[in-house]
């Protein structure tokens, strides 16, 4: 039984990691499949993912009916994922996450000839009840990939913030470049307008991220 009570129009930070901290994304195909599921599972209709084209780009033009949640931001890392979600209707978050994690576990297990749980228990969720906290989490979620090139940057600071920003712009498995206005098929995962207007332009978003990258050096 979950302790969290999801409220319509509430924002939530959703996250989970692989059981025993194992990798849940072993390569491009697995990252791409999870991204496809982020889009396809966000539907009140029962969608059989095997019925759709395997072409990555074409999946995001699939008509899927009414959505369960607003996906505001996301980041996939080798052994965990982060989502920022807005609950549209009662039960939306729970239904979406059940569809997402079940579908991905089935895919991953079949692909890797394994069985059993993939994720570390039920997904974790924290309600975002303050405006500044939501704005902070947008940066926190998108900054996760920096750990791949600077594992201790949060503790000791980062020497080259420009290098880190360039890395984030090349990292395909988060919504960072969507916030920068890059045009790509997976733009369709996010619900435009679901967040307050914190950033007037892509440049203001980039400066927000830069501020957090340089925070430990100040």
């Amino acid at each position: 039984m979950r302790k969290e009570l999801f409220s319509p129009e509430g924002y939530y930070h959703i996250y989970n990691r692989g059981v025993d901290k194992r990798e849940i994304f072993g390569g491009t195909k697995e990252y791409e499949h999870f991204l496809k599921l982020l889009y396809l599972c966000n539907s009140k209709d029962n969608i059989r993912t095997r019925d759709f084209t395997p072409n990555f780009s074409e999946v995001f033009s699939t008509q899927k009916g009414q959505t369960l949640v607003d996906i505001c931001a996301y980041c996939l890392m080798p052994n965990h994922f982060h989502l920022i979600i807005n609950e549209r209707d009662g039960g939306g978050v729970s239904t979406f996450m059940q569809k997402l994690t079940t579908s991905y576990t089935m895919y991953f297990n079949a692909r890797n000839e394994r069985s059993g749980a993939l994720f570390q228990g039920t997904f974790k969720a924290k309600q975002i009840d303050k405006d500044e906290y939501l704005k902070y989490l947008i940066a926190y979620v998108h900054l996760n990939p920096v750990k791949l090139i600077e594992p201790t940057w949060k503790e000791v600071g980062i020497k080259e913030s420009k290098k880190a920003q360039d890395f984030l712009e090349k990292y395909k498995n988060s919504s960072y470049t969507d916030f920068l206005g890059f045009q790509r098929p997976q733009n369709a995962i996010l619900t435009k307008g679901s967040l307050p207007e914190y950033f007037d332009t892509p440049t203001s978003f980039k400066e927000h991220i830069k501020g957090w990258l340089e925070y430990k050096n100040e």
Side-chain angles (χ1 to χ4, degrees):
M1 183 69 110
R2 295 198 65 87
K3 293 181 180 180
E4 299 89 358
L5 294 176
F6 299 108
S7 302
E9 303 306 319
Y11 291 95
Y12 296 90
H13 177 205
I14 308 290
Y15 53 99
N16 208 344
R17 65 176 61 250
V19 64
D20 297 324
K21 298 183 179 180
R22 67 159 296 145
E23 283 195 350
I24 56 176
F25 305 112
T28 300
K29 290 295 183 183
E30 290 171 355
Y31 279 113
E32 288 186 347
H33 195 80
F34 196 90
L35 292 174
K36 290 190 288 186
L37 290 174
L38 279 178
Y39 178 76
L40 293 172
C41 292
N42 188 15
S43 171
K44 291 187 176 181
D45 296 337
N46 292 321
I47 292 180
R48 297 188 304 175
T49 56
R50 65 177 180 271
D51 291 342
F52 293 97
T53 172
N55 183 286
F56 180 72
S57 298
E58 291 178 3
V59 164
F60 300 102
S61 61
T62 299
Q63 297 301 310
K64 56 177 182 168
Q66 191 172 359
T67 56
L68 291 162
V69 298
D70 291 337
I71 300 175
C72 306
Y74 65 87
C75 182
L76 314 184
M77 295 287 285
N79 68 352
H80 68 282
F81 66 82
H82 294 272
L83 308 173
I84 296 178
I85 288 178
N86 181 26
E87 171 100 318
R88 292 178 62 90
D89 301 304
V93 169
S94 296
T95 300
F96 169 66
M97 291 305 300
Q98 191 273 333
K99 291 171 69 175
L100 175 67
T101 55
T102 299
S103 296
Y104 186 72
T105 298
M106 292 174 63
Y107 165 82
F108 184 92
N109 284 353
R111 179 175 172 83
N112 294 281
E113 298 182 343
R114 71 181 294 272
S115 60
L118 176 61
F119 295 102
Q120 194 175 62
T122 308
F123 68 90
K124 312 302 185 293
K126 290 185 179 180
Q127 186 170 14
I128 307 169
D129 55 1
K130 293 183 179 179
D131 198 58
E132 283 302 310
Y133 184 42
L134 177 57
K135 189 175 181 180
Y136 157 75
L137 280 174
I138 294 170
Y140 171 79
V141 166
H142 287 124
L143 285 169
N144 261 253
V146 177
K147 295 179 184 177
L148 299 175
I149 57 171
E150 292 280 351
T152 61
W153 78 270
K154 288 186 178 180
E155 293 76 29
V156 302
I158 190 166
K159 296 178 181 178
E160 300 179 64
S161 63
K162 179 63 167 60
K163 178 181 176 182
Q165 284 187 314
D166 290 344
F167 179 76
L168 291 175
E169 290 187 17
K170 295 175 183 177
Y171 192 76
K172 298 179 180 180
N173 306 310
S174 85
S175 52
Y176 181 83
T177 57
D178 300 312
F179 278 74
L180 289 182
F182 289 25
Q183 295 302 308
R184 56 184 193 155
Q186 54 267 50
N187 289 156
I189 293 171
L190 300 186
T191 304
K192 293 182 178 179
S194 59
L195 285 171
E197 295 182 0
Y198 296 132
F199 315 108
D200 296 334
T201 64
T203 300
S204 64
F205 169 73
K206 192 170 185 176
E207 287 300 311
H208 177 62
I209 297 295
K210 182 180 178 182
W212 283 104
L213 278 173
E214 297 177 344
Y215 178 75
K216 289 292 182 180
N217 291 326
E218 294 177 353

